[in-house]
Amino acid sequence: MKKLLLTGFEPFLSYTVNPTMKIVEELDGETIGDYTIQSKIMTVDFASSGKQLLDHIKETEPDAVISLGLAGGRYKITPERIAINCKDGEPDNNGYSPVDEAIQEDGPPAYMSTLPIRKMVNSLIEKGYPAEISNTAGTYLCNNVMYEGLHYAAQNKSSMKSGFIHIPASHELALQHGKIPSISHEDLLNSVRICIEVLSESDK
Ligand code: PCA
């Protein structure tokens, strides 16, 4: 049996609920394909979120990492293609708002996801879920965490697969927020399950 580290984030900015929290909590301990899931929730904090991910990786020693984040306003499940070496954006939950900062001073400009993102998107669409590859994870915490995971794997010459999937709002969040499209919690949950099945199949 392989281990999958599945991470989500706490609420942030105007998003009073983060649907990724409920998803990772519900999937904790579940086995999908060859992977048993260990879930963690991270804070939205430029100073520590990257370190939190690395601590969870060191603690759980996973064969693969999938991090989930909310992309409020998106309509589709969007596996991310690329993480860039840049921190910039709105204030995190501690009020810190970086401008054009590097995530890793000596790191490369970018890393490509090592998850089977094309197969994930194809499988999601085949099963009736709106999905597409995203070519930008932004410059906020999700990009930050994706970059740190891939940087860790590269630095340690690890075969650990790593990447990020952004999801739209759940109906619960959309009702509170009022101005964003949404997908039901059950469909979001199933979409994440499908992505993990694809990851397991793609290892064979
Ligand atoms: N989404 C944010 C950070 C936390 C989350 O769930 C992002 O897209 O960067």
Side-chain angles (χ1 to χ4, degrees), residues 166-187:
H166 262 124
I167 63 168
S170 58
H171 295 332
E172 184 191 5
L173 171 60
L175 277 168
Q176 293 181 24
H177 191 277
K179 287 197 180 99
I180 44 177
S182 57
I183 293 183
S184 74
H185 168 71
E186 289 67 31
D187 282 344

Side-chain angles (χ1 to χ4, degrees), residues 81-146:
R81 195 192 300 273
I82 188 163
I84 61 173
N85 191 6
C86 178
K87 293 190 265 196
D88 186 281
E90 297 193 73
D92 66 14
N93 284 353
N94 285 320
Y96 181 62
S97 187
V99 178
D100 300 340
E101 285 180 31
I103 296 170
Q104 289 286 339
E105 282 300 338
D106 301 320
Y111 285 107
M112 306 289 273
S113 175
T114 47
L115 298 177
I117 56 171
R118 177 63 63 194
K119 287 183 181 155
M120 285 175 171
V121 165
N122 288 346
S123 184
L124 285 164
I125 292 170
E126 206 174 279
K127 295 187 168 76
Y129 294 98
E132 71 185 354
I133 289 177
S134 161
N135 293 313
T136 174
T139 52
Y140 197 53
L141 268 303
C142 294
N143 174 71
N144 194 106
V145 154
M146 181 178 172

Side-chain angles (χ1 to χ4, degrees), residues 9 12 18 20 44 69-70 140-143 166:
F9 276 108
F12 62 103
N18 194 326
T20 66
V44 173
L70 163 70
Y140 197 53
L141 268 303
C142 294
N143 174 71
H166 262 124

